[in-house]
Amino acid sequence: MNKNLFCFQCEQTAGCAGCTGAAGVCGKTARTGLLQDALTGALIGLARASESSADLLTPETDALIQQALFACVTNVSFEDGAIQALLDRVHAEKARLVPDCSRCMNPCGHNDDYDLANLWNAQEDIRSLKSLILFGIRGMAAYVYHAAVLGYRDEEVNRFFYRALFTLGEDTDAEHLIPIALQVGEVNLKAMALLDRANTETFGHPEPTAVSLTVEKGPFIVVSGHDLYDLKCLLEQTQGKGINVYTHGEMLPANAYPGLKKYPHLKGNFGTAWQNQRKELENLPAPVLFTTNCLMPPKKSYLDRVFTMEQVRFPGAAHIGEDRDFTPIIEKALELGGFREDMHFTGINGGHTVMTGFGRKAVLDNAQAVVDAVKSGALKHIFLVGGCDGARPGRSYFTDFVKQTPKDTVVLTLACGKYRFNDLDLGTVGPLPRILDMGQCNDAYSAIVVADALSKAFGCGINDLPLSMVLSWYEQKAVCILLTLLHLGIKNIRLGPTLPAFLSPNVVALLQKEYAIAPTTTPEADLKAILG
């Protein structure tokens, strides 16, 4: 196996160009990255094999593809053995679909694994567009996976993964790839709608909720990630055991779901942005459960307190199996005992509580008040400032931007980028606080529903609303959301803190020409341009 890594799928990639050599900035080794490439190449081979064996595809085949794509998302799996096990399963599934290929004396190579080096070394515009497709379906796979855990599936969405993977292995041109990239956005909209339905029908619609950042004395467990079902199972198993549960990172919005907030030992949220975890978990007298991406390589000093599940893996960390038996983490929480007295933590701006739960229903319940406020001039503009957080210093832009928004404006936010400013008290506009946390990254669906409802109320297109999007990005779920916004024809998005390294100059020029996408500059200049 080639020993040199190449990866440029996330925002932190080295030099804004690509991670090469022995390890990536995220902490994955070259071997891990190359195994992920091999796994992706095997998935392309499986998609090719499905062409002649569509009648043999099963829900298990669909699930395997989604799990394998999910495992390649940034900050998910750092364990080579787990990736190799997925690779072996993909090969076994391909052999089941096309058993004759393994016996053929004159192989055509059609169903062979695709060498991803061909993609990384392709002409730059082809590489750019295929990267958009690949990273987009990796992000979408995570959403579909979470919906499937709750028993919600969509056959059209499942089938699209095969088509997109097949396209990655084709010798094709940019004219063919552009509509496929936009179709990733179209299908991702259906995937987000599916997950929204799964979450709201299972746990109820989020309700505006003030979430404490204080950790009470006694044993506790911190839960990070996105999977609400994992949290529910843990809450059920910790009932009556004297253990409190706190959310972390993208799990924060779970505090607003009626089906989860009914558990009295779900106490609030611990920690700030996910990239601060190596400092914040250092002396934590409690275990931490990572259910999805956003795991940073743990320090040895607290590795024995890290538990993973689903596709999340790290060598040396205890892994919770598919049966979701949380006994090991419960025992660890009781052993560590928690803090001896209540600990009063704050957000990055010093606030002691944060608000969440302003999903589509909560906002649309106040839609008429919003419309009236705009028509009367009390509400001049709506900003959507959200996306992924990360460690790059330029991300202070988003804190400064929100602080400088005028008092007659509202800031919608979602995903972990909100930790830059969600503890600020900016007052209210009418019945609503000026900062409205709509939820996780997948809850971009809520923002789209709200924008569509407002456009209908005002009788105009979404691009004609007093609404501006200022988005931060980090990993592949942000890519599929961006493609969804482009599919919907939304223009004038500001994207930062840097543009993706995998966008070639020609693709950037296309996005600027067709959608007026622009990089963030300074809060002052961008606010002046938006409001001027």
Side-chain angles (χ1 to χ4, degrees):
M1 178 182 285
N2 184 336
K3 296 182 179 180
N4 293 319
L5 169 73
F6 174 75
C7 183
F8 63 172
Q9 70 173 358
C10 77
E11 185 270 337
Q12 69 182 350
T13 197
C16 295
C19 292
T20 58
V25 174
C26 68
K28 72 180 178 184
T29 66
R31 178 167 177 79
T32 301
L34 291 167
L35 278 170
Q36 290 177 338
D37 280 1
L39 178 57
T40 303
L43 289 173
I44 293 172
L46 179 59
R48 288 166 163 172
S50 72
E51 252 198 326
S52 59
S53 309
D55 57 324
L56 297 178
L57 297 177
T58 67
E60 289 72 27
T61 316
D62 300 339
L64 175 58
I65 286 178
Q66 292 151 21
Q67 290 167 16
L69 287 168
F70 184 12
C72 295
V73 170
T74 304
N75 293 87
V76 173
S77 184
F78 297 84
E79 190 173 273
D80 295 349
I83 300 171
Q84 182 65 56
L86 282 167
L87 180 57
D88 293 342
R89 288 174 57 197
V90 171
H91 283 154
E93 184 64 7
K94 185 174 69 173
R96 184 186 71 83
L97 294 181
V98 285
D100 291 340
C101 285
S102 61
R103 298 192 294 268
C104 183
M105 300 302 294
N106 297 294
C108 66
H110 178 73
N111 300 320
D112 289 352
D113 290 1
Y114 177 77
D115 184 355
L116 229 60
N118 293 327
L119 194 161
W120 306 142
N121 294 319
Q123 188 273 336
E124 66 173 358
D125 295 333
I126 300 299
R127 181 177 77 161
S128 182
L129 290 167
K130 284 191 174 183
S131 295
L132 263 178
I133 295 168
L134 173 59
F135 303 154
I137 62 173
R138 282 179 177 174
M140 184 169 69
Y143 296 147
V144 176
Y145 178 91
H146 296 315
V149 165
L150 294 171
Y152 288 72
R153 297 174 178 83
D154 185 297
E155 191 65 21
E156 181 182 354
V157 172
N158 289 340
R159 291 283 79 78
F160 179 73
F161 285 106
Y162 296 87
R163 182 186 179 197
L165 286 165
F166 187 92
T167 298
L168 295 176
E170 284 187 303
D171 183 10
T172 188
D173 56 25
E175 293 300 316
H176 176 67
L177 293 170
I178 291 170
I180 299 295
L182 291 174
Q183 194 175 6
V184 174
E186 178 184 9
V187 177
N188 183 61
L189 180 61
K190 296 176 181 178
M192 289 193 297
L194 181 72
L195 181 53
D196 177 272
R197 186 161 64 91
N199 285 339
T200 56
E201 290 183 359
T202 303
F203 304 110
H205 282 277
E207 303 166 343
T209 303
V211 181
S212 172
L213 302 182
T214 294
V215 176
E216 298 178 12
K217 65 180 180 180
F220 66 98
I221 297 171
V222 174
V223 185
S224 189
H226 303 73
D227 201 298
L228 302 184
Y229 182 69
D230 292 338
L231 176 60
K232 174 181 179 290
C233 293
L234 179 65
L235 288 168
E236 289 176 341
Q237 293 179 40
T238 49
Q239 283 188 100
K241 290 184 169 61
I243 299 173
N244 290 330
V245 176
Y246 295 85
T247 57
H248 173 268
E250 280 275 68
M251 198 63 84
L252 165 64
N255 290 278
Y257 284 88
L260 297 172
K261 65 191 294 187
K262 70 180 182 182
Y263 293 94
H265 57 301
L266 177 60
K267 292 290 187 176
N269 191 74
F270 168 79
T272 54
W274 70 272
Q275 71 274 4
N276 297 328
Q277 64 187 260
R278 301 189 82 210
K279 177 178 67 176
E280 295 175 343
L281 303 183
E282 179 74 59
N283 298 305
L284 195 69
V288 183
L289 176 66
F290 287 89
T291 65
T292 56
N293 57 311
C294 301
L295 169 68
M296 296 187 75
K299 295 181 180 180
K300 290 182 179 178
S301 58
Y302 66 83
L303 180 58
D304 66 326
R305 293 183 271 118
V306 170
F307 291 76
T308 62
M309 62 185 307
E310 312 288 5
Q311 302 308 313
V312 187
R313 301 273 185 156
F314 192 86
H319 190 75
I320 302 297
E322 293 182 3
D323 60 356
R324 291 181 171 80
D325 180 358
F326 292 107
T327 300
I329 195 170
I330 290 171
E331 291 176 345
K332 178 62 75 171
L334 294 171
E335 173 195 330
L336 293 170
F339 293 114
R340 295 183 178 180
E341 58 184 23
D342 293 356
M343 299 294 289
H344 303 286
F345 296 100
T346 70
I348 67 170
N349 301 290
H352 291 274
T353 61
V354 293
M355 287 291 295
T356 190
F358 291 94
R360 57 186 172 84
K361 184 177 185 303
V363 176
L364 292 179
D365 282 349
N366 290 279
Q368 191 56 52
V370 173
V371 171
D372 292 344
V374 171
K375 289 182 175 179
S376 70
L379 175 58
K380 291 289 198 305
H381 207 83
I382 300 171
F383 297 96
L384 175 59
V385 185
C388 314
D389 207 353
R392 196 179 296 275
R395 289 180 180 271
S396 59
Y397 164 97
F398 299 96
T399 308
D400 297 335
F401 184 95
V402 169
K403 284 181 177 179
Q404 294 179 42
T405 54
K407 293 182 179 180
D408 54 3
T409 64
V410 162
V411 176
L412 304 178
T413 189
L414 47 83
C416 57
K418 61 175 165 276
Y419 280 96
R420 294 282 172 174
F421 50 80
N422 67 338
D423 64 321
L424 292 170
D425 182 2
L426 298 185
T428 61
V429 172
L432 298 173
R434 286 195 53 225
I435 297 179
L436 302 176
D437 176 12
M438 305 193 80
Q440 298 179 340
C441 52
N442 55 283
D443 292 311
Y445 176 73
S446 273
I448 291 169
V449 171
V450 167
D452 182 61
L454 290 176
S455 70
K456 290 176 180 176
F458 285 106
C460 65
I462 290 179
N463 289 316
D464 300 315
L465 288 170
L467 169 68
S468 299
M469 297 188 182
V470 182
L471 306 180
S472 56
W473 83 280
Y474 175 76
E475 41 84 353
Q476 296 77 66
K477 285 183 279 187
V479 175
C480 64
I481 291 171
L482 176 63
L483 289 172
T484 293
L485 297 177
L486 299 183
H487 156 70
L488 293 171
I490 293 175
K491 298 185 176 182
N492 299 305
I493 297 169
R494 281 171 169 76
L495 186 65
T498 64
L499 292 179
F502 54 82
L503 294 182
S504 68
N506 285 335
V507 172
V508 170
L510 174 67
L511 295 177
Q512 291 174 332
K513 177 183 177 182
E514 298 295 327
Y515 303 100
I517 282 184
T520 54
T521 58
T522 67
E524 296 79 8
D526 289 345
L527 276 168
K528 182 177 180 181
I530 290 169
L531 298 175

